[in-house]
């Protein structure tokens, strides 16, 4: 019998987890002859999440869990879950029921009958989200699609079903700085997109602050584009050209009118502008260097405290 693994990262989700378990069991019942396994990853939860997982594991042989030694982030939790999964198909979803479990049977159908390797989901609206966050999200997708060869779909969720072959491809990308949206797109395969309207979280609170999302988007840009690195050279060429024209202009002006000391304020402006640009470029270099530094250390993506 074919098996579906459901991988669920959880970070302080004691309220949502029991509700999620009820819903996912309904789906498993509906797809009855198919085998299921549920893999919960506690990403360093400080509340009762891990106790709930243990209890579910004792009650239900389909439930497995991995508990991290501290919070390693959702990306690490996804990696651990995919690694632990043994099914022919793997579903990746959040525990807060923002990813409607009823889509699983649709996903399975598409993979089974239409020959897709992966069925992914995207939100068609961002209702219930702060306006400013939606605005920056839009800008981020525009920017990254301009400067990266990898395609990023606006509103794409991590919620998806993949064939084993694709899961293995994702697992082979063992980089330390993980940006799943990019990784799933980078590995390729035939992907079908299902669309649905945004749902509110069932319980608990979002774990993403604006600042955390901002840093995460920088991670994405750095991981999937090297265009910012070449920015310095382009700006350098442009500024050299401007400087050359200015020099010619000033020489001509001094020869014709004299007056060598005026223009001091404009000089200061230009010095600050160029200083700022240089700092910016050094900063960009620093970001790439720091990621390279972390990658070369070959630290593990996560550390397991307990698993079953
Ligand atoms: N999550 C995680 N580690 C983290 C942050 C979040 O495993 O450091 C999990 C969280 O428990 C949830 C999923 O990732 O299952 C999505 O998180 P959340 O709902 O807070 O994000 P949002 O839906 O607001 O983007
Ligand atoms: Mg959520």
């Amino acid at each position: 019998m074919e098996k579906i693994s459901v991988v669920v990262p959880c970070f302080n989700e004691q309220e949502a987890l029991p509700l999620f378990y009820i819903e996912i069991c309904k789906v498993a019942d509906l797809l009855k002859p198919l085998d299921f396994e549920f893999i919960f990853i506690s990403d360093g939860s400080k509340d009762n999440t891990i106790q709930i997982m243990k209890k579910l594991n004792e009650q239900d042989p389909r439930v497995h869990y991995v508990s991290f030694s501290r919070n390693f982030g959702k990306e690490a939790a996804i990696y651990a879950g995919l690694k632990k999964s043994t099914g022919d198909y793997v579903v990746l979803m959040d525990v807060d029921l923002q990813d409607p479990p009823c889509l699983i049977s649709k996903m399975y159908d598409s993979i089974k009958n239409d020959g897709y390797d992966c069925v992914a989901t995207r939100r068609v609206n961002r209702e219930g989200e702060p306006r400013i966050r939606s605005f920056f999200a839009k800008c981020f997708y525009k920017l990254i699609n301009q400067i990266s060869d990898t395609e990023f779909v606006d509103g794409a969720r991590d919620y998806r079903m993949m064939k084993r072959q694709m899961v293995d491809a994702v697992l082979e990308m063992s980089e330390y700085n993980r940006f799943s949206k990019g990784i799933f797109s980078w590995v390729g395969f035939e992907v079908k997109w299902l669309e649905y309207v945004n749902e509110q979280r069932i319980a608990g609170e979002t774990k993403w602050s604006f600042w955390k999302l901002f840093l995460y988007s920088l991670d994405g840009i750095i991981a999937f584009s090297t265009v910012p690195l070449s920015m310095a050279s382009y700006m350098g060429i442009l500024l050299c050209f401007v400087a050359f024209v200015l020099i010619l202009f000033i020489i001509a002006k001094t020869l014709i009118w004299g007056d060598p000391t005026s223009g001091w304020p404009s000089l200061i402006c230009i010095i600050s502008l160029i200083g700022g640009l240089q700092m910016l470029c050094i900063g960009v270099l620093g970001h790439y260097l720091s990621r390279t530094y972390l990658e070369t250390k070959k630290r593990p993506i996560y550390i397991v405290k307990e698993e079953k």
Side-chain angles (χ1 to χ4, degrees), residues 13 94-98 157 199 201 205-208:
E13 299 282 6
D94 290 356
V95 75
D96 55 11
L97 292 175
Q98 277 187 303
R157 304 273 307 166
E199 305 235 2
R201 215 172 209 287
E205 271 172 21
T206 176
K207 310 294 179 297
W208 294 90

Side-chain angles (χ1 to χ4, degrees), residues 8-13 41 43 71-74 77 93-96 98 133 157 201 205-208 212:
V8 194
C10 308
F11 175 45
N12 293 341
E13 299 282 6
I41 294 90
D43 182 13
N71 180 256
F72 280 88
K74 186 183 175 189
M93 63 197 300
D94 290 356
V95 75
D96 55 11
Q98 277 187 303
R133 186 175 289 197
R157 304 273 307 166
R201 215 172 209 287
E205 271 172 21
T206 176
K207 310 294 179 297
W208 294 90
K212 232 175 141 184

Side-chain angles (χ1 to χ4, degrees), residues 11 24 34 37 39 52 98 109 112 119 122 130-131 189 194 215 235 275 278-279 283 292 306:
F11 175 45
I24 199 72
L34 282 173
E37 76 176 350
I39 298 169
I52 298 171
Q98 277 187 303
D109 267 356
K112 207 63 205 160
V119 181
R122 59 182 290 257
R131 279 258 174 88
F189 295 100
L194 293 182
L215 294 179
M235 275 198 293
Q278 281 174 335
M279 286 295 200
T292 315
E306 274 177 273

Side-chain angles (χ1 to χ4, degrees), residues 77-307:
I78 291 175
Y79 189 77
L82 295 181
K83 208 158 190 187
K84 196 170 171 69
S85 70
T86 58
D88 307 286
Y89 307 97
V90 178
V91 177
L92 180 62
M93 63 197 300
D94 290 356
V95 75
D96 55 11
L97 292 175
Q98 277 187 303
D99 302 333
C102 58
L103 289 180
I104 291 178
S105 67
K106 237 190 202 167
M107 290 175 169
Y108 179 71
D109 267 356
S110 296
I111 289 188
K112 207 63 205 160
N113 305 325
D114 306 340
Y116 288 99
D117 301 298
C118 170
V119 181
T121 56
R122 59 182 290 257
R123 292 184 297 182
V124 285
N125 66 345
R126 287 176 172 274
E127 247 150 65
E129 194 183 66
R131 279 258 174 88
I132 181 122
R133 186 175 289 197
S134 308
F135 171 74
F136 277 105
K138 277 238 158 65
C139 294
F140 166 73
Y141 281 108
K142 271 223 179 90
L143 175 70
I144 199 162
N145 278 315
Q146 286 281 329
I147 63 176
S148 173
D149 295 334
T150 310
E151 197 201 344
F152 289 78
V153 177
D154 189 0
R157 304 273 307 166
D158 289 332
Y159 183 28
R160 59 182 62 225
M161 181 185 277
M162 294 176 275
K163 270 188 178 166
R164 171 59 33 195
Q165 192 189 10
M166 182 166 170
V167 174
D168 289 340
V170 169
L171 285 175
E172 231 167 90
M173 296 181 73
S174 54
E175 57 214 67
Y176 180 77
N177 295 293
R178 304 188 70 75
F179 191 74
S180 284
K181 285 188 193 357
I183 290 175
F184 291 140
S185 168
W186 192 91
V187 295
F189 295 100
E190 288 286 316
V191 181
K192 178 178 178 172
W193 289 94
L194 293 182
E195 298 187 341
Y196 68 94
V197 287
N198 195 25
E199 305 235 2
Q200 296 293 323
R201 215 172 209 287
I202 186 113
E205 271 172 21
T206 176
K207 310 294 179 297
W208 294 90
S209 61
F210 185 81
W211 183 241
K212 232 175 141 184
L213 273 176
F214 176 71
L215 294 179
Y216 184 60
S217 67
L218 283 188
D219 271 347
I221 291 173
I222 290 168
F224 285 92
S225 172
T226 50
V227 168
L229 273 180
S230 28
M231 214 165 68
S233 354
Y234 296 135
M235 275 198 293
I237 292 169
L238 185 75
L239 281 177
C240 280
F241 179 75
V242 171
F244 187 69
V245 172
L246 274 178
I247 288 168
L248 288 183
F249 173 73
I250 287 168
I251 289 176
K253 200 181 115 187
T254 319
L255 284 180
I256 297 168
W257 289 290
D259 189 23
T261 46
S262 82
W264 190 81
S266 59
L267 197 63
I268 291 300
C269 291
I270 291 168
I271 288 176
S272 343
L273 173 73
I274 295 177
L277 288 177
Q278 281 174 335
M279 286 295 200
L280 177 74
C281 294
I282 295 173
V284 170
L285 274 178
H287 274 291
Y288 279 88
L289 184 66
S290 68
R291 303 306 141 103
T292 315
Y293 173 61
L294 286 174
E295 276 319 327
T296 54
K297 284 192 183 187
K298 293 239 173 298
R299 283 185 183 161
I301 296 170
Y302 58 88
I303 289 171
V304 174
K305 191 172 158 211
E306 274 177 273
E307 69 178 317

